Amino acid sequence: NDCIGGHPNGHPRGVFFRDTDIYNNYCEAATDDGISLDSGSMNIRAWNNTIKYTVIGFSVTPILLGPVYIFRNVIMDVEADNYPSCGAIKHGGGGDGTVYIYHNTAYMPSLMPRPGNPKGNCGGTYFFKGGGGASPTIFATNNVMHVNGKFDWPGRGVEEYNFGYDEDGAPESTNYPGDDGIPQIHPQYTDEITRDLRPRVGSPLIDKGKIIQGFNDKDSAWPYSGSAPDIGRFELDDAPPRTSLVAVE
């Protein structure tokens, strides 16, 4: 059911036990999670993955040991497959690990299925989606949360410098801190129709992020340009992203 995962779920040595990089993958149309990390997950890094047409982007239900790093990924156009709601990050399960969620773009505005899709309507899209039980400790910074439901911060950890845009316009749940002034204005992508989710010139994402050593500073593999990091997966001058499957000869 998952694009990338394993068994047994919820076991300290299940799925990805330790010291694993999951990167440069394109996941499409899984009927549950794009990438499942539900296990001990000691020193697991998931980066530069694109996840499309799944119910959940990443599952951290539970993270028993940690730490887990989820950074520089795109989750877009989630679909239901008989679930009442969809989300970018599923959390819970009672684990005591720590999860760091940096510089991801979650584009999940639509409740309507794509043409010809048998999986149907999500009913609501959430950046954080509870999976039952206590959440791991989550540090979420510099993420784009474009939803049609709620951001639903789990309340354990730190949330800062994220950009939230909720298309349904309803008031957010009271457990979402909002102490960084989450704006309700459109992120202004390069081309929303083709899912080029890079910020365009004038976007409110540009130069509004926080510097995170090793993840976006000038000496990292992903140095920022401008006066500060851009929020989300992409910097303004990044190359065009991959938004569909590409045949390799």
Side-chain angles (χ1 to χ4, degrees), residues 46 67-71 98-102 104 137-141 215:
V68 167
Y69 302 89
I70 298 172
F71 62 100
T98 300
V99 181
Y100 299 89
I101 301 172
Y102 298 151
N104 300 282
T137 301
I138 294 176
F139 294 85
T141 306
F215 290 89

Side-chain angles (χ1 to χ4, degrees), residues 126 128 149-155 166 170-178:
Y126 300 76
F128 292 105
K150 292 185 180 296
F151 309 128
D152 257 13
W153 171 245
D166 184 357
E172 282 302 319
S173 56
T174 56
N175 66 341
Y176 189 80

